[in-house]
Structure formats: structure tokens, C-alpha cells
Amino acid sequence: MDQAVFTAVDTYLEDRLLSPDPTLEAALEAIVAAGMPSISVSAPQGRLLNLVAKMHGAKRILEVGTLGGYSTIWLARALPADGRLTTLELDSKHAEVARTNVDRAGVGEKVEIRVGSAVETMPKLEGSYDLVFIDADKANIPTYWKEALRLTMPGSLIIVDNVIRNGAVADASTTDESVLGVRKLMDLVRGDDRVETTAIQTVGSKGYDGFLLALVK
Ligand code: SAH
Ligand code: DHB
Ligand code: MG
């Protein structure tokens, strides 16, 4: 099994399970055209975020790490008419591309993009959010996790992307700041009786990675 198989299966699943979506394809094209990295969630992952938000009946969503707004669109589409999503992005160029993408997707009036480091902007937010999706710089995941707990209430969901990193998460000798950020998250979650948590390893077009899911008790 290798990356070619993972990618081929994602292509197959997209073809069978996801309808062609010109708006989302245009968003990805705009991200590439702007020279931004191709690290948006995959389409099947985006659909998972969308379904989880719908199953949860989320009305207020917080996203940390916008990039070009691809995951933002998937999440915002799950919101009811009066639902709102706030997304935090460091890079003003990324935020501009995201604004265009989100507006073109027809969810612009539900989405607020705040520019600046989430390390600075997240502590200024007030809760409560029903769902928090953490997907920015990985070294600061512990900060985002603590803030997410402050900004949520019993029944809220917290999802953290990229917690497996090709298996590097299990390497106790790692010096990679991103992996260390995830390992600190795991240490924070361990023994925290405010949350019920799991993490799931995944393969797909984005390689071997995974996400953490926490339910606030
Ligand atoms: N959630 C997006 C992908 C986000 S990529 C999607 O799946 O479509 C990670 C983003 O986090 C990048 O745009 C990067 O600029 C941003 N970022 C990095 N450091 C940050 C910080 N300190 N605060 C806020 N955003 C940050
Ligand atoms: C990277 C960041 C992501 O959020 C992701 O899903 C994949 C890769 C990265 O910074 O390399
Ligand atoms: Mg990610």
C-alpha cells in the first residue's frame, strides 16, 4: 500500500459519493493560483466535517486556520440560516483568498474571518461555540486546545486536524515542533475529565495522518 493507492481511492470515493462541486473546485483552483500550499482538507474529509456539524446541529462554529476557506465552506454549509462561523487566519493574503472563495460559495454572510495570529485573537473571543475545528500551526495546538475548552460548553465538539503526522506522533524522541505540539495536546487530554476523546488514523490523498475528536462533558 502506498500513496498512489490512497490517492486513487480518494478519487474513486469522490466520484461515487460526492457530487461534482464547481464552487469547491474553484476555491481549490484559487488557492493554487495564489501560490498557497495544497493542504486544505480533502473532499471526503470536508464532507465528514460537514456531516459532523449537521449531526451535531452546530449553530456557532469556530475554525482556527482558514487558508483559502475550503474547510470553512464545508463547515459553513452545515449551518442553519441563523448560524455563524468565525475563522482565524494569520496571513492576510490567505484571508483575502478565503473571503473571495467563501463569498462565491454563497456562505459569506455567515462567515467572519479574523486576521492575526490565533494565539492573540483566540483569547479575545467569547463563547460559546458548538464546534471548534483546530487546523492552524501545529506547535501552538496546546494553546488552541486550552482556548477551545474555554470557548465551549457541555455537549460541544472539538476536532483537531493532523494529529498523526505519518506516525511521528508516537515517536517519543521527536524534536519536530509540530509533532511536539500534538504530543503536548495528547498529554493535556490525558486525564482531563472535562472531555471524552478519541483520535483516528487516516490515509487518503493527504497521506497518512488523522484527527482528534473530543466531546466536552
Ligand atoms: N483549514 C484549512 C487549512 C488550514 S492550513 C482547510 O482545510 O481548508 C493552516 C493555516 O493556518 C494557514 O493558512 C496558515 O497561514 C494558518 N496559520 C499558521 N499559523 C497561524 C497562527 N498563529 N494563527 C492563525 N493562523 C495560522
Ligand atoms: C500541513 C498543515 C495541515 O493543516 C494539513 O492538513 C496538512 C499539512 C502542513 O503544515 O504541512
Ligand atoms: Mg490540516
Side-chain angles (χ1 to χ4, degrees), residues 4-100:
V5 180
F6 304 155
T7 301
V9 171
D10 255 353
T11 302
Y12 169 78
L13 294 176
E14 277 188 55
D15 178 61
R16 291 301 192 280
L17 305 179
L18 306 184
S19 317
D21 198 320
T23 301
L24 283 170
E25 277 152 33
L28 291 179
E29 278 165 25
I31 287 166
V32 171
M36 290 153 62
S38 293
I39 55 174
S40 312
V41 294
S42 69
Q45 290 170 343
R47 171 55 68 79
L48 177 67
L49 291 174
N50 177 271
L51 290 177
V52 168
K54 279 181 189 156
M55 289 185 279
H56 191 51
K59 283 192 163 180
R60 278 193 86 193
I61 297 176
L62 174 63
E63 177 179 69
V64 187
T66 316
L67 193 66
Y70 183 80
S71 55
T72 315
I73 294 168
W74 276 112
L75 286 166
R77 282 177 171 178
L79 289 169
D82 60 345
R84 292 291 176 267
L85 185 153
T86 300
T87 183
L88 310 179
E89 174 54 52
L90 173 67
D91 188 316
S92 59
K93 192 187 98 182
H94 293 185
E96 262 179 55
V97 172
R99 183 82 259 165
T100 305

Side-chain angles (χ1 to χ4, degrees), residues 37-41 45 67 133-138 161-162 165 178 206 209:
S38 293
I39 55 174
S40 312
V41 294
Q45 290 170 343
L67 193 66
F133 177 50
I134 298 173
D135 192 23
D137 53 321
K138 312 308 169 189
D161 196 20
N162 310 117
R165 290 291 176 148
S178 296
K206 293 194 66 189
D209 213 323

